Amino acid sequence: MPAGRRIVILRVSRAADPAMSNAPIQLAELPLQRYPATQEPTLLAFDAADQYLLTRLAEEQPAATPLLVINDNFGSLATALALQGRQVHSWGDSWMAWQALQHNLQANGLAAEAVQFFNSQQIPDQHYAQVLLRIPKSLSLLQDQLQRLRPQLQDHALLLAGSMLKHLPPTAGDLLAAQIGPYQASLAWKKARLLQCRRDPALQPAAKPLDSRYPLEGTPLTLHNHPGVFSRERLDIGTRVLLPCITADLGEARVVDLGCGNGALGLMAAWRNPQARLTFIDESWAAVASARQNFQAAFPDRTAEFIVSDGLSEATAASCDLILCNPPFHQQQVVGDRIARRLFRQSQRALVPGGRLLVVGNRHLGYHLTLQKIFRQVRQLAANPKFVVLEAGNS
């Protein structure tokens, strides 16, 4: 924290305690689900930070303009507010979060139009007086959102930012202060904390370019990265281990970069195989935008397909010859192999007979055991002390 900056502790009144009878709508009382749905009782579609945000917001008079919710992990905040009759806009980068919002609106008897959604490559179209923000783990994404949000805020607009304490970046408040106005930090409640600020009309923050670039090793290509994209500062170790396994004998193969991020794997496949037909898929709008920009810059005379979706869930069966995948090992802040297992099952369905899935992962995740339950053949292609590259197929 810069010297001389004072943090004011924001105390939420006792009357607004979520345990009190006059509390705002209780998320635990609503039929809310994560996406993908899970039967694990500890994995909920909301947390204490979501409830804390609703509690604090209940102390404010509703604004005449729509309320904006940013980074609503599973659409729970927007759904709860829409149930109260609020006009709600939602802004985020996750296709899965958007899909969860659609499911939760329907489960609560609301039409999809009850909440207007803007993806991360769009800008919400109102001048907002009230905003709820779930603080993302990526500070570059947070800064980008705040820079683009500020012109859409009314003077003295209220921004309430929430996070679980263990996931709260220590400099998140500094970004709020630099981009919006002085902030106040709340007392902790159920291991959650709020940061509150209002748009200071006298503040004149300088817009900072936040995109990053670095070379794709072994090629003359450059990887351009939007804020929040995985591995935006440097090529991650897992991708680096997988890249040499992408051969130059693919001909006109239909190649999918699954969970593409900035598109490094697909770009290498395209570089080594001038006739290959590429598809880039990710659930992040920013990732797919980065991959599209990188492909178009590298191969201006070639075409490729760019899809924001839940992996290969919408792919035609037997439509892919080769799938390249460096799967995520977490969803939001929950670590595990759930998403990887889902991508593996989708890949098995999407591959042609004789098609192959190349996947890289940490050794301790034991992907070889998971893949052996889905594919008939699994073999190791490469490894280092931390990562292993596996090839899976049904031929």
Side-chain angles (χ1 to χ4, degrees):
M1 182 185 309
R5 179 163 293 160
R6 182 170 62 93
I7 295 180
V8 178
I9 299 299
L10 169 68
R11 298 180 183 272
V12 177
S13 67
R14 181 172 176 79
D17 189 318
M20 303 297 286
S21 61
N22 63 342
I25 192 166
Q26 297 295 300
L27 294 174
E29 297 174 359
L30 302 180
L32 298 169
Q33 274 201 333
R34 300 168 68 94
Y35 181 91
T38 177
Q39 300 302 314
E40 297 186 39
T42 59
L43 295 182
L44 303 177
F46 58 90
D47 58 23
D50 291 316
Q51 188 65 63
Y52 206 179
L53 284 167
L54 292 177
T55 298
R56 172 63 187 87
L57 181 66
E59 297 180 352
E60 300 288 323
Q61 288 294 321
T65 55
L67 184 144
L68 178 63
V69 180
I70 306 176
N71 304 327
D72 193 2
N73 292 337
F74 298 102
S76 300
L77 289 169
T79 299
L81 291 163
L83 279 171
Q84 292 180 318
R86 300 290 296 268
Q87 286 185 283
V88 186
H89 290 179
S90 181
W91 189 29
D93 184 54
S94 169
W95 186 96
M96 289 190 173
W98 170 78
Q99 189 68 13
L101 170 62
Q102 307 310 303
H103 288 181
N104 286 325
L105 288 173
Q106 182 179 26
N108 285 274
L110 296 168
E113 295 76 22
V115 175
Q116 184 174 353
F117 181 81
F118 300 88
N119 71 56
S120 66
Q121 302 309 291
Q122 301 168 326
I123 297 178
D125 63 2
Q126 297 288 315
H127 282 86
Y128 300 94
Q130 295 175 338
V131 176
L132 298 185
L133 166 70
R134 283 304 307 261
I135 298 172
K137 62 182 180 180
S138 167
L139 287 172
S140 67
L141 176 59
L142 176 60
Q143 185 169 357
D144 176 64
Q145 289 174 331
L146 294 176
Q147 285 187 175
R148 293 195 290 152
L149 173 65
R150 182 176 173 82
Q152 308 306 120
L153 295 179
Q154 299 178 20
D155 286 350
H156 310 293
L158 174 67
L159 188 153
L160 297 174
S163 175
M164 299 304 293
L165 284 170
K166 63 181 178 180
H167 302 310
L168 179 61
T171 59
D174 293 337
L175 288 178
L176 290 176
Q179 296 295 327
I180 308 298
Y183 76 97
Q184 300 168 300
S186 76
L187 296 174
W189 178 77
K190 293 189 176 181
K191 300 181 181 180
R193 173 158 288 153
L194 304 184
L195 305 179
Q196 172 183 314
C197 66
R198 292 186 180 273
R199 185 186 189 277
D200 180 359
L203 188 65
Q204 295 184 335
K208 178 183 178 183
L210 297 173
D211 290 355
S212 64
R213 293 174 177 82
Y214 57 83
L216 176 58
E217 297 175 6
T219 77
L221 309 181
T222 297
L223 295 174
H224 175 105
N225 306 274
H226 291 310
V229 172
F230 171 71
S231 191
R232 69 180 302 271
E233 298 298 336
R234 65 186 65 83
L235 199 64
D236 72 286
I237 301 174
T239 296
R240 190 175 288 115
V241 177
L242 178 52
L243 285 173
C245 299
I246 301 173
T247 60
D249 59 355
L250 300 179
E252 297 183 0
R254 294 163 295 179
V255 181
V256 176
D257 188 343
L258 181 57
C260 64
N262 59 23
L265 296 175
L267 286 167
M268 182 63 79
W271 174 254
R272 291 178 175 164
N273 298 275
Q275 304 304 316
R277 292 166 286 174
L278 273 295
T279 298
F280 297 82
I281 302 176
D282 204 292
E283 72 99 25
S284 159
W285 273 278
V288 172
S290 296
R292 182 192 299 271
Q293 181 173 344
N294 291 332
F295 186 87
Q296 291 175 344
F299 310 107
D301 298 326
R302 293 174 68 174
T303 60
E305 192 171 7
F306 301 88
I307 300 172
V308 183
S309 184
D310 171 16
L312 290 159
S313 61
E314 301 176 3
T316 303
S319 60
C320 310
D321 298 300
L322 175 65
I323 298 172
L324 309 169
C325 188
N326 181 0
F329 53 88
H330 59 81
Q331 183 181 18
Q332 307 301 345
Q333 309 293 353
V334 178
V335 177
D337 66 349
R338 299 172 191 83
I339 298 301
R341 283 186 274 117
R342 184 178 180 84
L343 295 176
F344 297 162
R345 289 192 294 268
Q346 292 173 352
S347 297
Q348 193 276 337
R349 176 181 173 276
L351 283 170
V352 299
R356 299 175 297 142
L357 165 67
L358 299 189
V359 59
V360 63
N362 280 277
R363 284 181 177 274
H364 74 270
L365 292 172
Y367 282 162
H368 63 292
L369 299 175
T370 304
L371 290 167
Q372 286 169 0
K373 297 176 182 178
I374 301 172
F375 294 89
R376 285 196 290 269
Q377 284 127 16
V378 178
R379 68 185 182 110
Q380 179 176 306
L381 295 184
N384 68 14
K386 188 175 181 180
F387 289 90
V388 61
V389 177
L390 302 169
E391 177 189 78
N394 286 324
S395 58

